Amino acid sequence: MVVFEQKKLELWIQKYPLLSKITKLETVVWLNPHLKKMSEISSLPVNKQDMEDAARLWQRFAPFLSQVFPETKVTEGIIESPLRKIPNMKIELNSKYDAKLNGELYLKCDNELPIAGSIKARGGVYEVLHYAEKLAIEEGLISKEDDYTLFSSDKFKEFFSQFSIGVGSTGNLGLSIGIIGAKLGFHVSVYMSADAKQWKKELLREKGATVHEFKGDFSEAILAGRQQTSENPNGYFVDDENSKHLFLGYSVAAIRLQNQLEEGNIIVSEEQPLFVYLPCGVGGSPGGIAFGLKQIFGDNVHCFFVEPTHSPSVLIGLLTGEKEKVSVQDFGIDNKTEGDGLAVGRPSSFASSISGHLVSGIYTLEDNDLFKLLALLADSEGVYIEPSATSGLIGPGKIVASKYAQQNNLNMNQATHIVWATGGALVPKEDMLSFYEKGKRMI
Ligand SMILES: *Cc1c(COP(=O)(O)O)cnc(C)c1O
């Protein structure tokens, strides 16, 4: 690092001492000093109404989805995942990670989400459906009261084939946009970073998307994608670094979770607080879900994000208040992690403008833990999720050990902990096996 940058870094560390550990790649737990009570939050760029509108869009498209994706027939075209109690994993976390967990532990299994096998089936699919609906309405092809199975007709496909959609992705977002976009008849171009997995590229090509491989990291792939897509007058770019629609698509998970909690007689109240742990890349999916949960459960839900020690982009953005204006590279951090979807150097500007007052805190973890947790979960519960998706599992222990409960007068003995498992279903068997074996060697 040049002397000038070193000097700047020292000034940052003086102002925010936690940055000393963060830049040394040590794990940290940051409790957000800017967390606000819901009654103190006056205006956000989106509101509860927007989230409910997004839920209605999903509903309109349900007949179409159930028709073209047979795996969604059982849920009548609603893309949702189960909430599972994982008591054996709780025992493992208490013994192997000294988690001291008393409350109930659940896994939100977005690894099983249909279509994309990851949390991106919420945001990515939503944004493409939103765009398709807008085009079809403007063209006079459909109105919101019509039967949306029309979207699978040749007439619609032909219409959409005049338009192209671009997206920059480390993998999972590209998969969701590519699969739904190609199904509707769009030309989809996915701009992937060098570290994206080969099987993801192959699967995308098989589904009919064009894959542009790009040297450099995620931000550069986004940049190239944005430029090339905007050169086409009929081009639409799904902008992971600044997307309101992705955010709203994710937020609907909160409404669905509320129903699942009610069905399971799981109470959320001041005495029985809800803790949610969300793996974080650009901050869109955890931000959208935290936003939605806060609209529903207010101050009784406590949302924590988790990032790899090598990619703490949202942490640095929120801690310094500089948000998307800073990247981890500015702080001498390399942004190299095996957590697909988490290797993000710069936060989403849209999401961080909202998360700043809603997220209770952010903790970081080392890549090795991703694999250890993967193997522990597989052995204890028979559930296989991708490495990045395991990062929430050590959240409960981290927060119990922090001062959070004390500062907020919370009784952790009656807490419900939900760990968001963000992906896994599409990972090829042999890749999953090698992740598992890697983790197994470390525990
Ligand atoms: C994308 C992704 C995340 C993080 O979502 P962001 O919106 O980028 O914060 C977490 N886990 C997995 C598996 C993902 O694909």
Side-chain angles (χ1 to χ4, degrees), residues 336-399:
K336 288 202 165 64
T337 165
E338 300 203 56
D340 270 25
L342 308 186
V344 173
R346 192 183 292 279
S348 153
S349 60
F350 185 81
S352 7
S353 70
I354 298 172
S355 299
H357 296 304
L358 299 182
V359 64
S360 290
I362 302 179
Y363 65 90
T364 56
L365 92 173
E366 287 174 353
D367 270 23
N368 279 350
D369 281 316
L370 299 176
F371 296 96
K372 281 194 225 172
L373 291 163
L374 188 154
L376 280 180
L377 184 67
D379 285 346
S380 63
E381 300 284 348
V383 176
Y384 289 79
I385 60 181
E386 61 182 279
S388 47
T390 68
S391 56
L393 286 163
I394 53 167
K398 294 255 184 197
I399 300 315

Side-chain angles (χ1 to χ4, degrees), residues 1-266:
M1 219 181 301
V2 294
V3 179
F4 171 70
E5 283 181 350
Q6 186 64 42
K7 186 83 205 140
K8 259 202 332 207
L9 194 58
E10 278 162 21
L11 290 174
W12 276 119
I13 291 173
Q14 254 173 34
K15 205 163 167 196
Y16 303 103
L18 197 66
L19 277 171
S20 165
K21 282 190 164 184
I22 296 170
T23 52
K24 285 185 204 130
L25 306 175
E26 289 171 26
T27 61
V28 298
V29 176
W30 174 70
L31 300 180
N32 182 5
H34 309 294
L35 174 66
K36 284 192 178 169
K37 293 237 176 297
M38 288 311 279
S39 58
E40 296 163 2
I41 292 176
S42 47
S43 78
L44 293 172
V46 281
N47 57 36
K48 194 171 183 183
Q49 175 86 44
D50 296 322
M51 171 170 81
E52 288 163 354
D53 284 346
R56 279 188 282 274
L57 182 142
W58 278 118
Q59 204 64 54
R60 288 194 291 281
F61 273 100
F64 163 76
L65 292 170
S66 110
Q67 188 182 59
V68 299
F69 296 105
E71 69 266 36
T72 66
K73 267 219 166 67
V74 282
T75 53
E76 295 176 342
I78 295 299
I79 299 173
E80 198 40 72
S81 74
L83 179 67
R84 294 219 164 88
K85 209 177 211 175
I86 45 170
N88 298 324
M89 186 62 185
K90 180 176 144 184
I91 296 170
E92 289 296 319
L93 288 170
N94 281 341
S95 75
K96 302 258 176 12
Y97 280 88
D98 193 22
K100 300 192 171 66
L101 265 186
N102 288 321
E104 298 287 1
L105 181 64
Y106 291 85
L107 194 67
K108 180 62 177 152
C109 298
D110 274 11
N111 55 301
E112 293 178 30
L113 279 181
I115 304 182
S118 82
I119 198 163
K120 303 299 191 303
R122 300 184 185 278
V125 174
Y126 176 83
E127 179 149 1
V128 173
L129 293 179
H130 182 271
Y131 178 54
E133 182 185 64
K134 176 178 161 284
L135 290 175
I137 290 175
E138 281 169 7
E139 186 69 9
L141 289 174
I142 206 160
S143 74
K144 287 185 181 173
E145 293 70 40
D146 288 339
D147 174 2
Y148 273 33
T149 54
L150 275 172
F151 277 86
S152 65
S153 66
D154 288 341
K155 186 175 163 194
F156 274 63
K157 279 190 191 152
E158 205 174 301
F159 171 61
F160 290 133
S161 72
Q162 307 165 66
F163 300 91
S164 58
I165 296 177
V167 62
S169 173
T170 55
N172 286 341
L173 183 63
L175 277 182
S176 76
I177 306 282
I179 294 172
I180 184 68
K183 197 60 129 187
L184 283 159
F186 289 103
H187 290 283
V188 184
S189 285
V190 182
Y191 298 83
M192 295 188 115
S193 46
D195 57 348
K197 299 266 189 307
Q198 194 56 32
W199 66 264
K200 291 186 179 175
K201 296 172 191 164
E202 279 160 21
L203 183 62
L204 271 170
R205 292 192 179 108
E206 194 183 297
K207 301 280 180 188
T210 308
V211 176
H212 302 265
E213 297 190 45
F214 198 80
K215 291 208 174 57
D217 80 358
F218 186 44
S219 284
E220 292 173 62
I222 288 195
L223 194 68
R226 191 185 285 125
Q227 272 166 359
Q228 289 179 31
T229 308
S230 67
E231 283 163 15
N232 180 348
N234 277 345
Y236 176 89
F237 188 67
V238 176
D239 195 342
D240 203 17
E241 288 186 331
N242 192 20
S243 171
K244 172 176 151 185
H245 299 305
L246 285 177
F247 190 90
L248 287 173
Y250 291 124
S251 75
V252 175
I255 300 176
R256 308 275 181 73
L257 183 65
Q258 179 186 29
N259 292 335
Q260 289 179 325
L261 291 171
E262 278 170 12
E263 281 162 19
N265 291 319
I266 303 162

Side-chain angles (χ1 to χ4, degrees), residues 268-275 294 297-302 410:
V268 180
S269 65
E270 207 175 327
E271 296 74 33
Q272 288 166 272
L274 177 63
F275 283 76
K294 283 287 186 185
F297 298 113
D299 302 326
N300 297 327
V301 64
H302 307 269
L410 297 169

